[in-house]
Amino acid sequence: MTTLLGCDFSSAPSKRKPNVLAWGQLRQGVVTLTRFELCASLDDTQAALCGEQAWVGGFDLPFGLPRELVQTLGWPTSWPALMAHYQSLSRADIREAFAGFCNARPVGGKFAHRATDLPAGSSPSMKWVNPPVAYMLHAGVALLQRVGVGFAGLQDVHTLGARVALEAYPGMLARECIGHVSYKSDTPAKQDAPRLLARKDIITKLETAQTRLGLRLRLSNAQRDLVTADAKGDALDALMCLVQAAWAQQQHIDGHACYGLPDTLDPLEGWIVSA
């Protein structure tokens, strides 16, 4: 049985805000959470991912940049070369390049978007603030490359290897469950009863397979209490990434060579699994 994981990722994890790994398995349409793992640094995250020999994982960070942005900046247009160039830059370099791109564009159209952003409802992967997903890409892809993963949709499917990484997005699954209601906050004053109820609603929808992914989540009472009590939503986000990874694994089991990703995806931009 393939080991699955979902990762709520930060480019600067800490003891206060660790990266959260939700490990689990899929059997007969049921996703079982086996454990959470908290990683207070990027080195800890890398070590945790190396601790399992084989897995399929959903990671809450972008794997690619908009083709329009890349071509405008004159950067390499093959994904491996683009990532090598991107990782050679500092965060200040990235911010300067992206700000220059935005400043040359009209109000209301500052950012370039990937094709997956609209169906997923995700932030553009070039955003460097609120949330800083551009920095997450910068740190996360390099980390995953050091772990030796295969990036589904971004490299030949026959070369993916034993550890397969997919771009996931918990916000997409949360919206399917509760609409645009807020379910988490890093600000203590906003960690209120309505958000607590929203987290409970999401968990209930996942446990009863009330999403288009068609999978049922299985939690112990202690796990459910832990996820519900995490007002920052990191555990729940990791859990939703796990469910998206399980959906991708189900597509693979059913014969889809590329884990349910569309055949028409742009191999420079990538795609969010199940979007």
Side-chain angles (χ1 to χ4, degrees):
M1 189 179 301
T2 301
T3 297
L4 302 173
L5 77 102
C7 176
D8 179 62
F9 184 83
S10 168
S11 58
S14 64
K15 289 184 178 179
R16 186 188 65 83
K17 184 76 169 175
N19 286 334
V20 181
L21 303 183
W23 296 93
Q25 293 181 325
L26 171 67
R27 183 175 183 180
Q28 296 180 339
V30 177
V31 185
T32 301
L33 174 67
T34 54
R35 73 186 193 277
F36 283 114
E37 193 166 1
L38 306 182
C39 304
S41 70
L42 293 177
D43 286 343
D44 289 347
T45 307
Q46 182 175 332
L49 295 175
C50 288
E52 295 281 348
Q53 292 299 311
W55 43 257
V56 173
F59 293 83
D60 184 15
L61 69 140
F63 288 175
L65 291 166
R67 180 172 289 274
E68 178 187 7
L69 170 72
V70 172
Q71 291 176 331
T72 300
L73 294 177
W75 289 359
T77 53
S78 74
W79 187 80
L82 174 62
M83 289 300 102
H85 173 74
Y86 194 64
Q87 290 160 21
S88 75
L89 303 174
S90 68
R91 289 188 179 183
D93 293 333
I94 292 168
R95 183 173 62 251
E96 181 180 1
F98 290 178
F101 175 90
C102 291
N103 290 339
R105 290 162 66 91
V107 174
K110 294 291 187 181
F111 291 101
H113 292 264
R114 297 181 297 163
T116 193
D117 289 337
L118 180 61
S122 57
S123 297
S125 61
M126 65 174 294
K127 282 192 72 176
W128 62 94
V129 291
N130 299 326
V133 287
Y135 299 155
M136 292 164 66
L137 186 157
H138 188 252
V141 168
L143 185 154
L144 291 172
Q145 288 176 327
R146 293 193 296 272
V147 172
V149 308
F151 292 86
L154 295 164
Q155 62 187 81
D156 188 281
V157 69
H158 301 295
T159 66
L160 292 179
R163 296 176 180 141
V164 177
L166 296 142
E167 185 179 337
Y169 180 46
M172 177 175 59
L173 190 51
R175 282 195 298 272
E176 184 180 346
C177 293
I178 60 169
H180 290 276
V181 175
S182 177
Y183 64 94
K184 62 179 180 177
S185 179
D186 288 341
T187 304
K190 295 182 178 180
Q191 295 172 354
D192 52 17
R195 287 179 172 84
L196 172 64
L197 292 174
R199 291 194 297 279
K200 289 183 177 180
D201 287 345
I202 293 171
I203 293 167
T204 297
K205 292 286 181 67
L206 295 175
E207 289 185 315
T208 54
Q210 294 184 61
T211 76
R212 62 185 174 82
L213 302 188
L215 300 174
R216 182 165 63 88
L217 177 65
R218 177 180 292 159
L219 302 174
S220 69
N221 290 335
Q223 289 170 339
R224 188 183 304 106
D225 290 344
L226 184 153
V227 175
T228 302
D230 178 13
K232 295 178 181 177
D234 298 338
L236 182 52
D237 282 349
L239 199 57
M240 288 189 281
C241 288
L242 171 66
V243 174
Q244 289 176 330
W247 178 85
Q249 176 63 9
Q250 186 63 63
Q251 306 313 299
H252 188 66
I253 292 170
D254 291 344
H256 193 291
C258 201
Y259 295 88
L261 301 180
D263 297 334
T264 56
L265 70 83
D266 186 329
L268 185 67
E269 296 187 344
W271 196 266
I272 293 169
V273 66
S274 77

CSV table of all heavy atoms in Angstrom, one decimal, residues 217-263:
chain,number,residue,atom,x,y,z
A,217,LEU,N,-12.6,10.3,4.6
A,217,LEU,CA,-11.5,10.5,5.5
A,217,LEU,C,-11.8,9.7,6.8
A,217,LEU,O,-12.9,9.8,7.3
A,217,LEU,CB,-11.2,11.9,5.8
A,217,LEU,CG,-10.2,12.3,6.8
A,217,LEU,CD1,-8.8,11.9,6.3
A,217,LEU,CD2,-10.2,13.8,7.1
A,218,ARG,N,-10.8,9.0,7.3
A,218,ARG,CA,-11.0,8.3,8.6
A,218,ARG,C,-10.0,8.9,9.6
A,218,ARG,O,-8.8,8.9,9.4
A,218,ARG,CB,-10.8,6.8,8.5
A,218,ARG,CG,-10.9,6.0,9.8
A,218,ARG,CD,-10.6,4.6,9.6
A,218,ARG,NE,-11.7,4.0,8.8
A,218,ARG,CZ,-11.6,2.8,8.1
A,218,ARG,NH1,-10.4,2.2,8.1
A,218,ARG,NH2,-12.6,2.3,7.5
A,219,LEU,N,-10.5,9.4,10.7
A,219,LEU,CA,-9.8,10.0,11.8
A,219,LEU,C,-10.1,9.3,13.1
A,219,LEU,O,-11.3,8.9,13.3
A,219,LEU,CB,-10.0,11.5,12.0
A,219,LEU,CG,-9.8,12.4,10.8
A,219,LEU,CD1,-10.2,13.8,11.1
A,219,LEU,CD2,-8.3,12.4,10.4
A,220,SER,N,-9.2,9.2,14.0
A,220,SER,CA,-9.5,8.8,15.4
A,220,SER,C,-10.1,10.0,16.1
A,220,SER,O,-10.0,11.1,15.7
A,220,SER,CB,-8.2,8.3,16.1
A,220,SER,OG,-7.4,9.4,16.4
A,221,ASN,N,-10.7,9.7,17.3
A,221,ASN,CA,-11.3,10.8,18.0
A,221,ASN,C,-10.2,11.8,18.4
A,221,ASN,O,-10.4,13.0,18.4
A,221,ASN,CB,-12.0,10.3,19.3
A,221,ASN,CG,-13.3,9.5,18.9
A,221,ASN,OD1,-13.9,9.8,17.9
A,221,ASN,ND2,-13.7,8.6,19.8
A,222,ALA,N,-9.0,11.3,18.8
A,222,ALA,CA,-7.9,12.2,19.2
A,222,ALA,C,-7.4,13.0,18.1
A,222,ALA,O,-7.1,14.2,18.2
A,222,ALA,CB,-6.8,11.4,19.8
A,223,GLN,N,-7.3,12.4,16.9
A,223,GLN,CA,-6.9,13.2,15.7
A,223,GLN,C,-7.9,14.3,15.3
A,223,GLN,O,-7.5,15.4,15.0
A,223,GLN,CB,-6.7,12.2,14.5
A,223,GLN,CG,-5.5,11.3,14.7
A,223,GLN,CD,-5.5,10.2,13.6
A,223,GLN,OE1,-6.6,9.9,13.0
A,223,GLN,NE2,-4.4,9.6,13.3
A,224,ARG,N,-9.2,13.9,15.4
A,224,ARG,CA,-10.2,14.9,15.1
A,224,ARG,C,-10.2,16.1,16.1
A,224,ARG,O,-10.3,17.2,15.6
A,224,ARG,CB,-11.6,14.2,15.1
A,224,ARG,CG,-12.7,15.2,14.6
A,224,ARG,CD,-14.1,14.5,14.7
A,224,ARG,NE,-14.1,13.2,14.0
A,224,ARG,CZ,-14.1,12.0,14.6
A,224,ARG,NH1,-14.1,12.0,16.0
A,224,ARG,NH2,-14.2,10.9,13.9
A,225,ASP,N,-10.0,15.8,17.3
A,225,ASP,CA,-9.9,16.9,18.3
A,225,ASP,C,-8.7,17.8,18.1
A,225,ASP,O,-8.7,19.0,18.2
A,225,ASP,CB,-9.8,16.3,19.7
A,225,ASP,CG,-11.1,15.6,20.2
A,225,ASP,OD1,-12.2,15.9,19.5
A,225,ASP,OD2,-11.1,14.9,21.1
A,226,LEU,N,-7.6,17.1,17.7
A,226,LEU,CA,-6.3,17.9,17.4
A,226,LEU,C,-6.5,18.8,16.2
A,226,LEU,O,-6.2,20.0,16.3
A,226,LEU,CB,-5.2,16.9,17.2
A,226,LEU,CG,-3.8,17.5,16.9
A,226,LEU,CD1,-2.7,16.5,17.4
A,226,LEU,CD2,-3.5,17.9,15.5
A,227,VAL,N,-7.1,18.3,15.2
A,227,VAL,CA,-7.3,19.1,14.0
A,227,VAL,C,-8.3,20.3,14.2
A,227,VAL,O,-8.1,21.4,13.8
A,227,VAL,CB,-7.8,18.3,12.8
A,227,VAL,CG1,-8.1,19.1,11.6
A,227,VAL,CG2,-6.7,17.2,12.4
A,228,THR,N,-9.3,20.0,14.9
A,228,THR,CA,-10.3,21.0,15.3
A,228,THR,C,-9.8,22.1,16.1
A,228,THR,O,-10.1,23.3,15.9
A,228,THR,CB,-11.5,20.3,16.0
A,228,THR,OG1,-12.1,19.3,15.2
A,228,THR,CG2,-12.6,21.3,16.3
A,229,ALA,N,-8.9,21.7,17.1
A,229,ALA,CA,-8.4,22.7,18.0
A,229,ALA,C,-7.3,23.6,17.4
A,229,ALA,O,-7.0,24.6,18.0
A,229,ALA,CB,-7.8,21.9,19.2
A,230,ASP,N,-6.7,23.2,16.3
A,230,ASP,CA,-5.6,24.0,15.7
A,230,ASP,C,-6.3,25.2,15.0
A,230,ASP,O,-6.7,25.1,13.8
A,230,ASP,CB,-4.8,23.1,14.7
A,230,ASP,CG,-3.8,23.9,14.0
A,230,ASP,OD1,-3.4,25.0,14.4
A,230,ASP,OD2,-3.2,23.4,13.0
A,231,ALA,N,-6.3,26.3,15.7
A,231,ALA,CA,-7.0,27.5,15.2
A,231,ALA,C,-6.2,28.1,14.0
A,231,ALA,O,-6.8,28.9,13.2
A,231,ALA,CB,-7.2,28.5,16.3
A,232,LYS,N,-5.0,27.8,13.9
A,232,LYS,CA,-4.2,28.3,12.7
A,232,LYS,C,-4.5,27.6,11.4
A,232,LYS,O,-4.2,28.0,10.3
A,232,LYS,CB,-2.7,28.3,13.0
A,232,LYS,CG,-2.2,29.2,14.1
A,232,LYS,CD,-0.7,29.0,14.4
A,232,LYS,CE,-0.2,29.9,15.5
A,232,LYS,NZ,1.2,29.7,15.8
A,233,GLY,N,-5.1,26.4,11.6
A,233,GLY,CA,-5.6,25.6,10.4
A,233,GLY,C,-4.5,24.9,9.8
A,233,GLY,O,-4.8,24.2,8.7
A,234,ASP,N,-3.3,24.8,10.3
A,234,ASP,CA,-2.2,24.1,9.6
A,234,ASP,C,-2.4,22.6,9.5
A,234,ASP,O,-2.2,22.0,8.5
A,234,ASP,CB,-0.9,24.4,10.3
A,234,ASP,CG,-0.5,25.9,10.4
A,234,ASP,OD1,-1.0,26.6,9.5
A,234,ASP,OD2,0.3,26.3,11.2
A,235,ALA,N,-2.9,22.0,10.6
A,235,ALA,CA,-3.2,20.6,10.6
A,235,ALA,C,-4.3,20.3,9.6
A,235,ALA,O,-4.2,19.3,8.8
A,235,ALA,CB,-3.5,20.1,12.0
A,236,LEU,N,-5.3,21.1,9.6
A,236,LEU,CA,-6.4,20.8,8.6
A,236,LEU,C,-5.9,21.0,7.2
A,236,LEU,O,-6.3,20.3,6.3
A,236,LEU,CB,-7.6,21.8,8.9
A,236,LEU,CG,-8.8,21.6,8.1
A,236,LEU,CD1,-9.3,20.2,8.0
A,236,LEU,CD2,-9.9,22.5,8.6
A,237,ASP,N,-5.1,22.0,6.9
A,237,ASP,CA,-4.6,22.2,5.6
A,237,ASP,C,-3.7,21.0,5.1
A,237,ASP,O,-3.8,20.6,4.0
A,237,ASP,CB,-3.7,23.5,5.5
A,237,ASP,CG,-4.6,24.8,5.5
A,237,ASP,OD1,-5.8,24.7,5.3
A,237,ASP,OD2,-4.0,25.9,5.7
A,238,ALA,N,-2.9,20.5,6.0
A,238,ALA,CA,-2.1,19.4,5.7
A,238,ALA,C,-3.0,18.2,5.4
A,238,ALA,O,-2.8,17.4,4.5
A,238,ALA,CB,-1.1,19.0,6.8
A,239,LEU,N,-4.1,18.1,6.2
A,239,LEU,CA,-5.0,17.0,6.0
A,239,LEU,C,-5.7,17.0,4.6
A,239,LEU,O,-5.9,16.0,4.0
A,239,LEU,CB,-6.0,17.0,7.1
A,239,LEU,CG,-6.9,15.8,7.4
A,239,LEU,CD1,-6.0,14.6,7.7
A,239,LEU,CD2,-7.8,16.0,8.6
A,240,MET,N,-6.1,18.3,4.2
A,240,MET,CA,-6.7,18.4,2.9
A,240,MET,C,-5.8,18.1,1.8
A,240,MET,O,-6.1,17.6,0.8
A,240,MET,CB,-7.4,19.8,2.8
A,240,MET,CG,-8.6,20.0,3.7
A,240,MET,SD,-9.5,21.5,3.4
A,240,MET,CE,-8.5,22.7,4.3
A,241,CYS,N,-4.5,18.5,2.0
A,241,CYS,CA,-3.5,18.1,1.0
A,241,CYS,C,-3.3,16.6,0.9
A,241,CYS,O,-3.1,16.1,-0.2
A,241,CYS,CB,-2.1,18.8,1.3
A,241,CYS,SG,-2.1,20.5,1.1
A,242,LEU,N,-3.4,15.9,2.0
A,242,LEU,CA,-3.4,14.5,2.1
A,242,LEU,C,-4.5,13.9,1.3
A,242,LEU,O,-4.3,12.9,0.5
A,242,LEU,CB,-3.4,14.0,3.5
A,242,LEU,CG,-3.6,12.4,3.7
A,242,LEU,CD1,-2.4,11.7,3.2
A,242,LEU,CD2,-3.9,12.1,5.2
A,243,VAL,N,-5.7,14.4,1.4
A,243,VAL,CA,-6.9,13.9,0.7
A,243,VAL,C,-6.7,14.2,-0.8
A,243,VAL,O,-7.0,13.3,-1.7
A,243,VAL,CB,-8.2,14.6,1.2
A,243,VAL,CG1,-9.4,14.2,0.3
A,243,VAL,CG2,-8.4,14.2,2.6
A,244,GLN,N,-6.1,15.3,-1.2
A,244,GLN,CA,-5.9,15.6,-2.6
A,244,GLN,C,-4.8,14.6,-3.2
A,244,GLN,O,-4.9,14.1,-4.3
A,244,GLN,CB,-5.5,17.0,-2.8
A,244,GLN,CG,-6.6,18.0,-2.6
A,244,GLN,CD,-6.2,19.4,-2.7
A,244,GLN,OE1,-5.1,19.8,-2.3
A,244,GLN,NE2,-7.1,20.3,-3.1
A,245,ALA,N,-3.8,14.3,-2.4
A,245,ALA,CA,-2.8,13.3,-2.8
A,245,ALA,C,-3.4,11.9,-3.0
A,245,ALA,O,-3.1,11.2,-3.9
A,245,ALA,CB,-1.7,13.3,-1.8
A,246,ALA,N,-4.4,11.6,-2.0
A,246,ALA,CA,-5.0,10.3,-2.1
A,246,ALA,C,-5.9,10.2,-3.4
A,246,ALA,O,-6.0,9.2,-4.1
A,246,ALA,CB,-5.9,10.1,-0.9
A,247,TRP,N,-6.6,11.3,-3.8
A,247,TRP,CA,-7.3,11.4,-5.0
A,247,TRP,C,-6.4,11.1,-6.2
A,247,TRP,O,-6.8,10.4,-7.1
A,247,TRP,CB,-8.0,12.7,-5.2
A,247,TRP,CG,-8.8,12.9,-6.4
A,247,TRP,CD1,-10.1,12.4,-6.6
A,247,TRP,CD2,-8.4,13.4,-7.7
A,247,TRP,NE1,-10.5,12.7,-7.9
A,247,TRP,CE2,-9.4,13.3,-8.6
A,247,TRP,CE3,-7.2,14.0,-8.1
A,247,TRP,CZ2,-9.3,13.8,-9.9
A,247,TRP,CZ3,-7.0,14.4,-9.4
A,247,TRP,CH2,-8.1,14.3,-10.3
A,248,ALA,N,-5.2,11.8,-6.2
A,248,ALA,CA,-4.3,11.6,-7.3
A,248,ALA,C,-3.8,10.1,-7.3
A,248,ALA,O,-3.7,9.5,-8.4
A,248,ALA,CB,-3.1,12.5,-7.1
A,249,GLN,N,-3.6,9.5,-6.2
A,249,GLN,CA,-3.2,8.1,-6.2
A,249,GLN,C,-4.3,7.2,-6.7
A,249,GLN,O,-4.0,6.2,-7.4
A,249,GLN,CB,-2.8,7.7,-4.7
A,249,GLN,CG,-2.4,6.2,-4.6
A,249,GLN,CD,-1.2,5.8,-5.3
A,249,GLN,OE1,-0.5,6.6,-5.9
A,249,GLN,NE2,-1.0,4.5,-5.4
A,250,GLN,N,-5.5,7.6,-6.4
A,250,GLN,CA,-6.7,6.8,-6.9
A,250,GLN,C,-6.7,6.9,-8.4
A,250,GLN,O,-7.0,5.8,-9.1
A,250,GLN,CB,-8.0,7.3,-6.3
A,250,GLN,CG,-9.2,6.4,-6.7
A,250,GLN,CD,-9.1,5.0,-6.1
A,250,GLN,OE1,-9.0,4.8,-4.9
A,250,GLN,NE2,-9.0,4.0,-7.0
A,251,GLN,N,-6.5,8.0,-9.0
A,251,GLN,CA,-6.5,8.2,-10.4
A,251,GLN,C,-5.3,7.3,-11.0
A,251,GLN,O,-5.5,6.7,-12.1
A,251,GLN,CB,-6.2,9.6,-10.8
A,251,GLN,CG,-7.2,10.6,-10.2
A,251,GLN,CD,-8.6,10.2,-10.4
A,251,GLN,OE1,-9.2,10.0,-11.5
A,251,GLN,NE2,-9.3,10.1,-9.2
A,252,HIS,N,-4.2,7.3,-10.3
A,252,HIS,CA,-3.1,6.5,-10.8
A,252,HIS,C,-3.4,5.0,-10.8
A,252,HIS,O,-3.2,4.2,-11.7
A,252,HIS,CB,-1.9,6.7,-9.9
A,252,HIS,CG,-0.6,6.1,-10.4
A,252,HIS,ND1,0.0,6.5,-11.6
A,252,HIS,CD2,0.2,5.2,-9.9
A,252,HIS,CE1,1.1,5.8,-11.7
A,252,HIS,NE2,1.2,4.9,-10.7
A,253,ILE,N,-4.1,4.6,-9.7
A,253,ILE,CA,-4.5,3.2,-9.6
A,253,ILE,C,-5.5,2.8,-10.7
A,253,ILE,O,-5.5,1.7,-11.2
A,253,ILE,CB,-5.2,2.9,-8.2
A,253,ILE,CG1,-4.1,3.0,-7.1
A,253,ILE,CG2,-5.9,1.6,-8.1
A,253,ILE,CD1,-4.7,3.1,-5.7
A,254,ASP,N,-6.4,3.8,-11.0
A,254,ASP,CA,-7.4,3.6,-12.0
A,254,ASP,C,-6.8,3.7,-13.5
A,254,ASP,O,-7.6,3.5,-14.4
A,254,ASP,CB,-8.5,4.6,-11.9
A,254,ASP,CG,-9.3,4.3,-10.6
A,254,ASP,OD1,-9.2,3.2,-10.0
A,254,ASP,OD2,-10.1,5.2,-10.2
A,255,GLY,N,-5.5,3.9,-13.6
A,255,GLY,CA,-4.9,3.9,-14.9
A,255,GLY,C,-4.5,5.2,-15.5
A,255,GLY,O,-4.0,5.2,-16.6
A,256,HIS,N,-4.6,6.3,-14.8
A,256,HIS,CA,-4.2,7.6,-15.3
A,256,HIS,C,-2.7,7.7,-15.0
A,256,HIS,O,-2.3,7.8,-13.8
A,256,HIS,CB,-5.0,8.7,-14.7
A,256,HIS,CG,-4.8,10.0,-15.4
A,256,HIS,ND1,-3.6,10.7,-15.3
A,256,HIS,CD2,-5.6,10.8,-16.1
A,256,HIS,CE1,-3.7,11.8,-16.0
A,256,HIS,NE2,-4.9,11.9,-16.5
A,257,ALA,N,-1.9,7.7,-16.0
A,257,ALA,CA,-0.4,7.7,-15.8
A,257,ALA,C,0.1,8.9,-15.0
A,257,ALA,O,1.1,8.7,-14.3
A,257,ALA,CB,0.3,7.6,-17.2
A,258,CYS,N,-0.6,10.0,-15.1
A,258,CYS,CA,0.0,11.2,-14.5
A,258,CYS,C,-0.9,11.7,-13.4
A,258,CYS,O,-1.1,12.9,-13.2
A,258,CYS,CB,0.2,12.3,-15.5
A,258,CYS,SG,1.4,13.6,-15.0
A,259,TYR,N,-1.4,10.8,-12.6
A,259,TYR,CA,-2.1,11.1,-11.3
A,259,TYR,C,-3.3,12.1,-11.4
A,259,TYR,O,-3.5,12.9,-10.6
A,259,TYR,CB,-1.1,11.7,-10.3
A,259,TYR,CG,0.0,10.6,-9.9
A,259,TYR,CD1,1.1,10.5,-10.7
A,259,TYR,CD2,-0.2,9.8,-8.8
A,259,TYR,CE1,2.1,9.5,-10.4
A,259,TYR,CE2,0.7,8.8,-8.5
A,259,TYR,CZ,1.9,8.7,-9.3
A,259,TYR,OH,2.8,7.7,-8.9
A,260,GLY,N,-4.0,12.0,-12.5
A,260,GLY,CA,-5.2,12.8,-12.7
A,260,GLY,C,-4.9,14.2,-13.2
A,260,GLY,O,-5.9,15.0,-13.3
A,261,LEU,N,-3.7,14.5,-13.5
A,261,LEU,CA,-3.4,15.9,-14.0
A,261,LEU,C,-3.8,15.9,-15.5
A,261,LEU,O,-3.7,14.9,-16.2
A,261,LEU,CB,-1.9,16.2,-13.9
A,261,LEU,CG,-1.4,16.2,-12.5
A,261,LEU,CD1,0.1,16.5,-12.5
A,261,LEU,CD2,-2.1,17.2,-11.6
A,262,PRO,N,-4.3,17.1,-16.0
A,262,PRO,CA,-4.8,17.1,-17.4
A,262,PRO,C,-3.6,16.9,-18.4
A,262,PRO,O,-2.5,17.4,-18.2
A,262,PRO,CB,-5.4,18.5,-17.5
A,262,PRO,CG,-4.7,19.3,-16.4
A,262,PRO,CD,-4.5,18.3,-15.3
A,263,ASP,N,-3.9,16.3,-19.5
A,263,ASP,CA,-2.9,16.1,-20.5
A,263,ASP,C,-2.4,17.4,-21.1
A,263,ASP,O,-1.4,17.4,-21.7
A,263,ASP,CB,-3.5,15.1,-21.6
A,263,ASP,CG,-3.8,13.7,-21.0
A,263,ASP,OD1,-3.2,13.3,-20.0
A,263,ASP,OD2,-4.7,13.1,-21.6
